[in-house]
Amino acid sequence: MTEQEEQKVELEDLQGVGAKTAEKLRDAGYDDLMSIATMSSGDLGELADLGEKKSQKIITAARKELDLGFETGKDKYDSRQEMQKISTSAENLDEILGGGVETQAITEFYGEYGSAKTQLSHQLSVNVQRSEDEGGLGRGVVFIDTEDTFTPIRIEQMAEEAGLDVEETLNNIHVARAYNSDHQMLLADEAQDICQKEDIGLIVVDSLTAQFRADYVGRGELAPRQQKLNRHMNTLLRLANSHNAAVVVTNQVMSNPDQMFGDPTKAIGGHIVAHNSAVRLYLRKGKKDKRVARLVDSPYMPEGEAVFRITDGGIVDAS
Ligand code: GTP
Ligand code: MG
C-alpha cells in the first residue's frame, strides 16, 4: 500500500472499532494502525474492554490494512524489477555499484572529512533529474542538510555540466536544514508529505549521524541514540520502498584520535547504520583531487574499488 492510503485510514475505519473503542485506544497511546497490528489480542481486549475474538478481528483488520506478513517470491521479484539506478557520473564508480546508486535501498557513503561524501550527494541530486538515457530517473530530490553544507552554486556548476536548466534543477531539490537530531527525524517524517505531492526519486541525508553524535554524548546515551537512529533509518527505508526512491546517507568515520576505541576506518553509528544500509561505500582521499571508493557491503555485487576525481564540473572518472 502507498503512504497515502496508509495516512487516510483511521482507527475507526477498522472493522469492529467504534468511536468508544478508538477513544480508549488513543488514550492508551495506541493511535496508529501499526501499534494495533502488533498488539496481542489479550492486551487489546484488556485495554478496550473487548472479548478475545473481537480483539483478534481488529488486529487482523489492522494487519490487512497495513499489508503486513508474507509475500511471495514473485512479489519480491516484481518489486526488484522496478528497482532503478542513478549514475554517479564516474563510470568506474557506477561499475562497482552495479550501475549506480539504487532505488528501494539505503546507500551509505562513509569516510573522513573531505572524502567527497557531500560532493557525491550534490552530484546525485543533479543526476537523478537527468533522463533515464543519461543515467537519471527524471525525478526530484529531498535533501536533509544537517551540517549546513548544501551549496546551490555547486548544483549550478554540476547542472550546467550536465546540460540541465539551472533554475529548474535547483527548484527540484527540496532542501531543509536540520538543527538537531529530533528536528532531523521530524524532517524525514515531513519528507513523506513531499514524496506524496512531488515525484521524488532521491532522498539525501548529509550527514546522517552528526547531529545524533552531538546530541547523545555520554557513554550511557549510546543505547537511546542507536534506538533513535534505527527509527530514523526505518522511516527512510519506508520512503525508499513506497516511492521506489534511492536514499543516500553520509557518515563520518571516527578519525578523532582522542576518542576511545577510535578506529579510522569505522563508521559512526556502528552496526545500526551498517545494518540498515544495503550498500556501503567507504571513501578515502587520494592524491590531489582523486578519491578512492571501496564497495564494502552490497547484496549482490563483489567488493571492488574505483578511483574518481572531484572537478569544478563535478564528479568524473579518474582514468
Ligand atoms: P565532511 O563533510 O567534512 O566529512 O567531508 P565530505 O566527505 O563531505 O567532503 P566533501 O564532499 O565536502 O569534499 C570536499 C572536497 O571537494 C574538497 O577536497 C574540495 O576541494 C572539493 N571541492 C568542493 N567544491 C569544489 C569545487 O567547486 N570544485 C572543485 N574542483 N573541487 C571542489
Ligand atoms: Mg560533507
Side-chain angles (χ1 to χ4, degrees):
M1 89 173 340
T2 67
E3 299 281 339
Q4 205 155 10
E5 284 161 319
E6 196 177 315
Q7 300 258 315
K8 268 188 269 167
V9 182
E10 297 287 341
L11 295 185
E12 287 89 343
D13 297 328
L14 295 176
Q15 211 183 353
V17 178
K20 248 199 193 138
T21 301
E23 195 186 323
K24 280 182 194 155
L25 289 170
R26 284 204 183 94
D27 284 347
Y30 294 87
D31 54 1
D32 63 351
L33 294 193
M34 184 57 89
S35 62
I36 307 294
T38 51
M39 270 177 115
S40 76
S41 55
D43 288 347
L44 179 61
E46 206 168 294
L47 263 176
D49 269 329
L50 297 169
E52 173 89 21
K53 255 197 175 151
K54 201 153 183 218
S55 303
Q56 192 52 58
K57 247 190 172 160
I58 293 172
I59 290 168
T60 307
R63 288 183 182 167
K64 230 177 125 186
E65 203 57 62
L66 288 176
D67 224 353
L68 297 178
F70 289 97
E71 55 181 347
T72 64
K74 178 70 166 60
D75 294 337
K76 270 272 186 218
Y77 179 85
D78 288 345
S79 75
R80 287 307 281 175
Q81 290 296 100
E82 284 172 24
M83 191 256 277
Q84 287 176 293
K85 310 256 185 175
I86 308 164
S87 169
T88 62
S89 287
E91 216 171 290
N92 51 1
L93 181 52
D94 285 350
E95 204 167 290
I96 63 167
L97 288 167
V101 170
E102 65 188 58
T103 61
Q104 300 178 22
I106 297 178
T107 297
E108 176 192 355
F109 296 151
Y110 71 100
E112 62 173 326
Y113 73 94
S115 60
K117 302 182 292 293
T118 297
Q119 294 303 309
L120 276 167
S121 301
H122 281 66
Q123 189 68 61
L124 288 161
S125 299
V126 170
N127 290 2
V128 68
Q129 302 188 43
R130 304 183 77 178
S131 68
E132 288 184 30
D133 293 344
E134 288 172 319
L137 310 177
R139 301 171 74 190
V141 183
V142 166
F143 198 114
I144 300 177
D145 178 16
T146 79
E147 298 186 303
D148 208 12
T149 49
F150 178 78
T151 315
I153 292 173
R154 272 313 262 155
I155 298 293
E156 179 181 20
Q157 290 170 320
M158 292 170 176
E160 269 169 2
E161 185 72 23
L164 293 174
D165 182 85
V166 171
E167 201 172 308
E168 203 177 307
T169 307
L170 284 164
N171 274 333
N172 286 332
I173 306 177
H174 304 263
V175 191
R177 169 87 210 276
Y179 291 96
N180 58 48
S181 57
D182 281 337
H183 185 212
Q184 184 177 330
M185 292 176 75
L186 185 78
L187 289 173
D189 287 336
E190 284 180 4
Q192 303 191 10
D193 297 339
I194 302 178
C195 288
Q196 279 168 25
K197 289 184 204 128
E198 313 266 338
D199 189 16
I200 300 296
L202 172 69
I203 297 130
V204 176
V205 186
D206 181 23
S207 128
L208 175 75
T209 46
Q211 296 286 3
F212 285 88
R213 195 188 194 187
D215 290 347
Y216 300 87
V217 269
R219 255 195 167 263
E221 291 191 280
L222 192 62
R225 181 186 87 180
Q226 295 300 80
Q227 258 170 26
K228 286 264 176 104
L229 255 175
N230 194 34
R231 225 183 80 201
H232 185 42
M233 294 193 82
N234 278 327
T235 306
L236 295 170
L237 189 56
R238 256 204 331 265
L239 281 174
N241 283 322
S242 50
H243 298 280
N244 192 24
V247 171
V248 164
V249 301
T250 72
N251 196 359
Q252 261 215 348
V253 291
M254 305 184 203
S255 52
N256 190 347
D258 58 26
Q259 191 165 345
M260 245 202 293
F261 313 113
D263 175 338
T265 62
K266 268 224 167 80
I268 293 161
H271 71 276
I272 291 283
V273 176
H275 178 81
N276 280 302
S277 309
V279 181
R280 308 185 68 218
L281 204 62
Y282 174 56
L283 300 167
R284 64 176 194 272
K285 288 189 252 188
K287 282 203 179 105
K288 292 186 188 154
D289 58 356
K290 285 199 176 125
R291 298 292 182 275
V292 186
R294 189 170 82 226
L295 186 70
V296 176
D297 256 328
S298 161
Y300 48 86
M301 292 298 293
E303 276 208 12
E305 278 201 348
V307 185
F308 62 91
R309 284 174 50 218
I310 311 172
T311 71
D312 285 348
I315 303 294
V316 295
D317 236 322
S319 45

